[in-house]
Amino acid sequence: MASPADIHSMVDRLIPDGELTPQTPDAVTLLPPFAAKMRECEQIFRQPYSELSHEIQDALVLRRLQQMIHTIQLNPVWRARLEAAGAAKAPDSFEAWQHVPLSDKETQRDLFMGSRDGLVVPHDRGGFEVVASGGTSTGSPLETVYSLRELRDTYEVAGRFLGEYQLSDRLAGGDPKWLLTTLADYQMWSSGTMVGGVLQKVPGVNYIGAGPVTAPVLEHLFSYRGPKALMGISAGIAILAELGAGMSRQARESFRVALYGSGVLSQRNRAELKALYPNLAILSYFAATQAETIGLQLDEESPVLTAVPGLHLIEIVDEDGFWVPEGAEGELVVTRLHAHEAPLLRLKLGDRMVRRPRLDGPGPKAQQFEFAGRTGDILHLNDSQYSAARAYGALCDELKTAGVVDLDRSAHEVQFANHRENRTITLYAAVDDVLGLTYRVDSMLGPQGLQQVFVNALPRSLSLFNDGEANPASIAKTGYSLQVRFVSRHSPDIERTAVGKVPLVRDHA
């Protein structure tokens, strides 16, 4: 085990002072990529970077963050931001790093769209890729900019980790191995491109960028000899149970891994997929346009997500930007470590996470966290804010305990609509038996019984920053009422974004 002094000396040699403080944008373009430093680190210790000790990884990442602070101050807009926050000095610890101001989607829009004033190296030099998102909640386009050379590096780092720790055991054997995605490049120019870039770099697989598929196309792809994995948004994975209904058993048995993005996959969807595809593991691939691989679920029995070591610095923070303790919930903040020409510091992605203990022991050493919902998945009742994900979980528990309905197993999709003017929250649930479940809820509970379920459940769903401020009596005083409406699958009552995602909350102020 290397001593702290040895580790410090090693990282100083890996990123020497001359590289730590580039003096001009031209000098930035000549900096060796961070991926090269990771590879050098592997050679020194004769271990994969992902399996190096936390002490070694932390030291190299901190040195890289210091380099980023020096680099980004070559841009006058960023320099002013850092000086205003009292964070112009390169951090000597992760505690000091937490004083660097957070960035949000507005920061990203201001600095990386239009004239792109946030770039350290002007984009008229070329060599950049612009990636856009349609926005899960707002639908407003959002662009960011990457250096092409570093983007290729991140694809390789993430692809290697995904292949080694998420897919290798599940795509075993000597037959050809297939990795597909149903994400589409034409949905802006975001997820299909970026995630596809990662999947193409998984060693030993054949990559297929299928885009949205029909049942005949899926059957054709699954007829190829060898095990298959497929990545798509949650809705794109859920529909595979329907698309594969007429598929041969041999083809269905070859489907080994379903990787879903964009939140959660319901118990109903999981059960249907498992019933049709007997060898299937269903795992989360958590990504965003601004960060092509944020966390991967390695164990099907645990919802914990594992970060790819060396790809991003991932932080779970409170409202002031400081790290929450392990076991606490906060907001996800990401800093891309491979970003010499176009750095973006401490970006809030709009997701809530629970910080979990770091992964240690044999195998990868990595940060871990658990998805807790979108930051915008908030139910506003007057001045109080309630987590919609927790509210849904609490309502499920209450309705199941009362013997009324198991929403988790019955609903394909759910969405809250908050009508603030008439103080009504409607939970839409897409189910198969609309009339039967509607009658069951009405006959067993009625409006007053359902309202009591709502009042009992909501205090358990207070958001991170409002915990403890409400009880059933105070909720009843808000005048809000709850409705549950069962609708058919693909009902227009459940609103979808332009790229087919279903936000958990639609707020009608």
Side-chain angles (χ1 to χ4, degrees), residues 204-220:
V205 304
N206 303 294
Y207 168 70
I208 299 176
V213 296
T214 60
V217 170
L218 186 68
E219 183 172 14
H220 171 72

Side-chain angles (χ1 to χ4, degrees), residues 128-192:
F128 292 101
E129 177 169 324
V130 178
V131 178
S133 168
T136 299
S137 300
T138 66
S140 299
L142 188 66
E143 295 179 355
T144 193
V145 184
Y146 302 100
S147 160
L148 277 170
R149 64 173 179 136
E150 293 179 292
L151 193 58
R152 296 186 190 105
D153 284 338
T154 62
Y155 289 164
E156 185 171 339
V157 169
R160 185 170 63 161
F161 185 88
L162 188 153
E164 178 65 26
Y165 302 108
Q166 196 178 42
L167 296 182
S168 62
D169 291 342
R170 298 179 173 98
L171 298 184
D175 286 336
K177 300 167 180 60
W178 303 92
L179 184 51
L180 304 78
T181 181
T182 53
L183 297 174
D185 286 352
Y186 67 76
Q187 295 172 337
M188 297 296 291
W189 49 92
S190 54
S191 300

Side-chain angles (χ1 to χ4, degrees), residues 384-440:
S384 293
Q385 301 177 24
Y386 300 82
S387 162
R390 289 181 180 174
Y392 176 67
L395 284 169
C396 285
D397 290 344
E398 293 282 342
L399 292 170
K400 186 176 180 180
T401 300
V404 180
V405 62
D406 186 340
L407 272 181
D408 248 351
R409 292 192 174 276
S410 300
H412 298 281
E413 295 173 324
V414 296
Q415 185 176 79
F416 286 101
N418 184 2
H419 297 272
R420 295 204 212 181
E421 187 173 346
N422 59 14
R423 300 193 179 189
T424 300
I425 292 176
T426 302
L427 174 64
Y428 290 99
V431 298
D432 293 330
D433 186 10
V434 175
L435 294 178
L437 288 176
T438 301
Y439 175 78
R440 185 173 178 82

